[in-house]
Amino acid sequence: MFSYTKFENITIPNTITTIGNSVFMYCYKLKNITLPENLSSIGTGVFYGWSCITEINLPINITSIPAHTFYSCEGLTKITIPQNIISIGASAFSGCDKISSIIIPVD
């Protein structure tokens, strides 16, 4: 849907609860995305190939990180994962060689 676009900033409205497969694949100029708190599902490869984004915070309602979600996000250094994650798919973080901080908040 928005693959290969040149957006630098995206704010997803609170009315969105699901982001489908590969929706933002190769948005290589994206530097910032704000995900809605009530987001409960993200698709396979949804953030695949982002090279400029450095940090992402997944909302608390996310329970699964599908395969290839952050594949080849070369600039990603910090991610906050909700504590209720029950599965992380194959190669979800492959090619994210700069990740130096993974935060899983505890209540």
Side-chain angles (χ1 to χ4, degrees):
M1 179 175 220
F2 296 105
S3 294
Y4 295 94
T5 57
K6 296 179 182 177
F7 297 128
E8 291 186 14
N9 298 290
I10 296 174
T11 298
I12 299 174
N14 286 327
T15 54
I16 302 297
T17 58
T18 300
I19 300 174
N21 296 341
S22 308
V23 171
F24 296 109
M25 179 182 262
Y26 289 117
C27 289
Y28 59 91
K29 292 194 175 221
L30 192 64
K31 295 177 184 175
N32 182 46
I33 187 166
T34 303
L35 300 172
E37 282 301 315
N38 54 342
L39 185 68
S40 59
S41 176
I42 53 177
T44 301
V46 75
F47 306 120
Y48 190 114
W50 291 7
S51 56
C52 290
I53 197 137
T54 59
E55 181 178 334
I56 195 157
N57 298 309
L58 295 177
I60 196 163
N61 294 329
I62 298 289
T63 58
S64 176
I65 300 173
H68 308 291
T69 300
F70 297 101
Y71 190 95
S72 196
C73 289
E74 298 168 352
L76 189 62
T77 59
K78 179 180 177 184
I79 184 164
T80 302
I81 298 173
Q83 71 181 45
N84 58 335
I85 287 290
I86 56 173
S87 69
I88 298 176
S91 301
F93 296 99
S94 289
C96 299
D97 300 334
K98 293 182 181 174
I99 290 180
S100 59
S101 177
I102 298 173
I103 300 167
I104 304 173
V106 178
D107 285 339

